[in-house]
Amino acid sequence: MQDHITPRRVVILGGGFAGLFAARALRKSPVAVTVVDRRAHHLFQPLLYQCASGILSEGQIAQPLRGVLRRHHNVRCVLAEATDVDAGARLVHARRPEGGAVVLPYDDLIVAVGMRQSYFGHDEFAAHAPGMKTLDDALDIRRRIYRAFEMAETAADDRERQQWLTFALVGAGPTGVELAGQIREIAGHTLDREFRKIDSARARVLLFEGSDAVLGSFGPRLAHRAARTLLDLGVELHLGTRVTDVSAEGLTVEDRDGRTTRFDARTVLWTAGVEAPAIAAALARATGAEQDRAGRILVEPDLTVPGHPEIRVTGDVMGLNGLPGLAEVAMQSGAYAGRRVRHAVEGRTKEPKPFRYVDLGSAAYIARGRAVVKAGPLHLSGFTGWLVWLFIHLAFLTGFRSRLGAVLSWSVAFATGSRRERAFTMTDSGSGSDSGSASGVDSGTDASAVRAAGPTAPAPPPPPP
């Protein structure tokens, strides 16, 4: 009679892009995989802004994590938030939603916890300016956007009415640009002729950015085209500005000359900056690993933590060669980490090749029929860019229901300007401002953009060659 052999234990922290692709790489390996996430769903973060603006529903961008991994018979899911790592004893300490403790032993640890919203030391801004890193954030932003028009309709005077019809977004990366374009479309097309006292098309959308360009990572040419498109839509660009204060009634910004200006806006949205979650600092303390300014863990070329070959860090929270926090980086690094564990289990002794990221490009949707795409020397914008953007997202929205539903929703929105997902609830009828939810640990990757590849549901397909 053979002795029972305990399979190698692999713990994956995070069920986003990196964690999911790591689990997929271990699907047929003789290992016991435990995926730990504080949410029970896998989120296609790059389309969060479309959920927030009412084009897509929650179910079209989020799938139950257990459903996504149901065919992976060596994988189990644990609903908990990792709080600490004991690198010596090889234990992960986690907290269940109701507060109970979970201790998970591991032989290999893959950290894929993503990043969370950063307010650059001003966490008090979160109550009035929600970020967009989670599904809860997207639904909160949807409520704030559509509520603002309703409140403007019953405003007591013109000043209050204009405050409700002014939307301020902080940060002109892909998320800020995409959301700014969506709000202008809502104001000018979706809500056209629905109100009796207000003209929704007169809503102001203000976009603040500390640098001199929107979508700076796309290069000067596409950044200029994106800025021109935003201006054509009616978005007001305020470049070279820094936010110094945010309240329920608006925000104060400072330009490079030190001049401060106050803008009245009842809806302020934060689309700038990310930082590592607390578990990254805990891992650094436990292993002696270094962190960069945003808290990312600096790793070796094979994604391992120095001195700890059993711990690999992937995705947004990984610090390696200045790689950005993009969906494609998370997918590729997660798959690489999973393969490295699989090869170790199979007894391969050949020196592993270092992780090499293949840049498949970047894409950002601005408005109906207008997007920008950067893929190597290929720079596309306008309608052509939008078609490429559409193809990319259809390729990576896995599962027939998600794809079909997205196509139908996009078709309706493109043809008519209407949005089917506009329902929202009022959480506090006695207050002029929602409390807002500060973004927490990101279980996926940066919602900033999809990199010409950029995920959700049953086993996602591999990236295109």
Side-chain angles (χ1 to χ4, degrees), residues 426-447:
M426 298 296 290
T427 58
D428 184 359
S429 60
S431 171
S433 176
D434 289 332
S435 60
S437 58
S439 298
V441 177
D442 171 9
S443 61
T445 190
D446 191 0

mmCIF file of all heavy atoms in Angstrom, residues 426-447:
data_model
loop_
_atom_site.group_PDB
_atom_site.id
_atom_site.type_symbol
_atom_site.label_atom_id
_atom_site.label_comp_id
_atom_site.label_asym_id
_atom_site.label_seq_id
_atom_site.Cartn_x
_atom_site.Cartn_y
_atom_site.Cartn_z
ATOM 1 N N MET A 426 -30.333 55.690 -3.395
ATOM 2 C CA MET A 426 -29.893 56.783 -2.533
ATOM 3 C C MET A 426 -29.594 56.192 -1.157
ATOM 4 O O MET A 426 -30.470 55.621 -0.513
ATOM 5 C CB MET A 426 -30.970 57.851 -2.440
ATOM 6 C CG MET A 426 -31.301 58.490 -3.776
ATOM 7 S SD MET A 426 -29.911 59.406 -4.478
ATOM 8 C CE MET A 426 -29.823 60.780 -3.345
ATOM 9 N N THR A 427 -28.358 56.333 -0.717
ATOM 10 C CA THR A 427 -27.960 55.714 0.548
ATOM 11 C C THR A 427 -28.296 56.578 1.755
ATOM 12 O O THR A 427 -28.403 56.084 2.857
ATOM 13 C CB THR A 427 -26.454 55.431 0.550
ATOM 14 O OG1 THR A 427 -25.759 56.663 0.328
ATOM 15 C CG2 THR A 427 -26.100 54.452 -0.555
ATOM 16 N N ASP A 428 -28.409 57.882 1.537
ATOM 17 C CA ASP A 428 -28.659 58.777 2.669
ATOM 18 C C ASP A 428 -29.470 59.967 2.171
ATOM 19 O O ASP A 428 -28.924 60.956 1.696
ATOM 20 C CB ASP A 428 -27.333 59.256 3.273
ATOM 21 C CG ASP A 428 -27.547 60.112 4.511
ATOM 22 O OD1 ASP A 428 -28.720 60.333 4.871
ATOM 23 O OD2 ASP A 428 -26.549 60.559 5.105
ATOM 24 N N SER A 429 -30.779 59.885 2.282
ATOM 25 C CA SER A 429 -31.642 60.925 1.742
ATOM 26 C C SER A 429 -31.524 62.239 2.479
ATOM 27 O O SER A 429 -31.921 63.279 1.999
ATOM 28 C CB SER A 429 -33.108 60.471 1.782
ATOM 29 O OG SER A 429 -33.501 60.195 3.120
ATOM 30 N N GLY A 430 -30.926 62.221 3.661
ATOM 31 C CA GLY A 430 -30.820 63.458 4.434
ATOM 32 C C GLY A 430 -29.522 64.190 4.225
ATOM 33 O O GLY A 430 -29.268 65.196 4.856
ATOM 34 N N SER A 431 -28.684 63.676 3.337
ATOM 35 C CA SER A 431 -27.381 64.305 3.131
ATOM 36 C C SER A 431 -27.201 64.677 1.685
ATOM 37 O O SER A 431 -27.649 63.999 0.797
ATOM 38 C CB SER A 431 -26.265 63.342 3.567
ATOM 39 O OG SER A 431 -25.010 63.844 3.201
ATOM 40 N N GLY A 432 -26.512 65.754 1.461
ATOM 41 C CA GLY A 432 -26.238 66.174 0.094
ATOM 42 C C GLY A 432 -25.062 65.455 -0.502
ATOM 43 O O GLY A 432 -24.724 65.650 -1.653
ATOM 44 N N SER A 433 -24.411 64.609 0.282
ATOM 45 C CA SER A 433 -23.247 63.905 -0.245
ATOM 46 C C SER A 433 -23.184 62.517 0.335
ATOM 47 O O SER A 433 -23.430 62.285 1.505
ATOM 48 C CB SER A 433 -21.969 64.678 0.106
ATOM 49 O OG SER A 433 -20.838 63.968 -0.305
ATOM 50 N N ASP A 434 -22.871 61.560 -0.509
ATOM 51 C CA ASP A 434 -22.688 60.194 -0.037
ATOM 52 C C ASP A 434 -21.376 60.106 0.718
ATOM 53 O O ASP A 434 -20.453 60.878 0.524
ATOM 54 C CB ASP A 434 -22.652 59.211 -1.219
ATOM 55 C CG ASP A 434 -24.011 59.057 -1.867
ATOM 56 O OD1 ASP A 434 -25.002 59.242 -1.150
ATOM 57 O OD2 ASP A 434 -24.076 58.781 -3.071
ATOM 58 N N SER A 435 -21.322 59.131 1.579
ATOM 59 C CA SER A 435 -20.102 58.980 2.356
ATOM 60 C C SER A 435 -18.962 58.495 1.492
ATOM 61 O O SER A 435 -17.808 58.752 1.771
ATOM 62 C CB SER A 435 -20.342 57.991 3.504
ATOM 63 O OG SER A 435 -20.711 56.734 2.994
ATOM 64 N N GLY A 436 -19.284 57.732 0.449
ATOM 65 C CA GLY A 436 -18.234 57.267 -0.451
ATOM 66 C C GLY A 436 -17.416 56.173 0.186
ATOM 67 O O GLY A 436 -17.247 56.100 1.381
ATOM 68 N N SER A 437 -16.886 55.312 -0.645
ATOM 69 C CA SER A 437 -16.076 54.211 -0.133
ATOM 70 C C SER A 437 -14.650 54.370 -0.611
ATOM 71 O O SER A 437 -14.372 54.431 -1.783
ATOM 72 C CB SER A 437 -16.632 52.872 -0.638
ATOM 73 O OG SER A 437 -16.647 52.838 -2.046
ATOM 74 N N ALA A 438 -13.741 54.470 0.328
ATOM 75 C CA ALA A 438 -12.341 54.563 -0.058
ATOM 76 C C ALA A 438 -11.913 53.249 -0.675
ATOM 77 O O ALA A 438 -12.174 52.188 -0.147
ATOM 78 C CB ALA A 438 -11.478 54.871 1.174
ATOM 79 N N SER A 439 -11.240 53.327 -1.783
ATOM 80 C CA SER A 439 -10.830 52.119 -2.477
ATOM 81 C C SER A 439 -9.859 51.338 -1.624
ATOM 82 O O SER A 439 -8.935 51.861 -1.050
ATOM 83 C CB SER A 439 -10.183 52.477 -3.813
ATOM 84 O OG SER A 439 -11.103 53.143 -4.635
ATOM 85 N N GLY A 440 -10.061 50.029 -1.603
ATOM 86 C CA GLY A 440 -9.178 49.168 -0.843
ATOM 87 C C GLY A 440 -8.283 48.375 -1.751
ATOM 88 O O GLY A 440 -7.948 48.782 -2.850
ATOM 89 N N VAL A 441 -7.892 47.187 -1.328
ATOM 90 C CA VAL A 441 -6.983 46.358 -2.086
ATOM 91 C C VAL A 441 -7.605 46.001 -3.416
ATOM 92 O O VAL A 441 -8.748 45.600 -3.503
ATOM 93 C CB VAL A 441 -6.645 45.066 -1.311
ATOM 94 C CG1 VAL A 441 -5.755 44.179 -2.135
ATOM 95 C CG2 VAL A 441 -5.973 45.406 0.001
ATOM 96 N N ASP A 442 -6.835 46.158 -4.444
ATOM 97 C CA ASP A 442 -7.290 45.836 -5.780
ATOM 98 C C ASP A 442 -6.982 44.382 -6.053
ATOM 99 O O ASP A 442 -5.832 43.983 -6.084
ATOM 100 C CB ASP A 442 -6.554 46.737 -6.773
ATOM 101 C CG ASP A 442 -6.792 46.358 -8.204
ATOM 102 O OD1 ASP A 442 -7.657 45.512 -8.423
ATOM 103 O OD2 ASP A 442 -6.108 46.915 -9.066
ATOM 104 N N SER A 443 -8.019 43.573 -6.275
ATOM 105 C CA SER A 443 -7.779 42.159 -6.500
ATOM 106 C C SER A 443 -7.491 41.861 -7.943
ATOM 107 O O SER A 443 -7.404 40.717 -8.337
ATOM 108 C CB SER A 443 -9.011 41.343 -6.065
ATOM 109 O OG SER A 443 -10.141 41.724 -6.820
ATOM 110 N N GLY A 444 -7.359 42.874 -8.748
ATOM 111 C CA GLY A 444 -7.050 42.661 -10.144
ATOM 112 C C GLY A 444 -5.846 43.478 -10.532
ATOM 113 O O GLY A 444 -4.770 43.329 -10.028
ATOM 114 N N THR A 445 -6.036 44.419 -11.434
ATOM 115 C CA THR A 445 -4.955 45.273 -11.858
ATOM 116 C C THR A 445 -5.489 46.649 -12.101
ATOM 117 O O THR A 445 -6.659 46.907 -11.899
ATOM 118 C CB THR A 445 -4.273 44.702 -13.107
ATOM 119 O OG1 THR A 445 -3.105 45.429 -13.340
ATOM 120 C CG2 THR A 445 -5.198 44.746 -14.283
ATOM 121 N N ASP A 446 -4.626 47.523 -12.553
ATOM 122 C CA ASP A 446 -5.041 48.897 -12.739
ATOM 123 C C ASP A 446 -6.143 49.026 -13.769
ATOM 124 O O ASP A 446 -6.017 48.547 -14.871
ATOM 125 C CB ASP A 446 -3.816 49.700 -13.187
ATOM 126 C CG ASP A 446 -4.079 51.176 -13.153
ATOM 127 O OD1 ASP A 446 -5.192 51.556 -12.787
ATOM 128 O OD2 ASP A 446 -3.141 51.918 -13.470
ATOM 129 N N ALA A 447 -7.218 49.749 -13.378
ATOM 130 C CA ALA A 447 -8.309 49.959 -14.314
ATOM 131 C C ALA A 447 -7.938 50.985 -15.344
ATOM 132 O O ALA A 447 -8.714 51.319 -16.206
ATOM 133 C CB ALA A 447 -9.556 50.421 -13.563
#
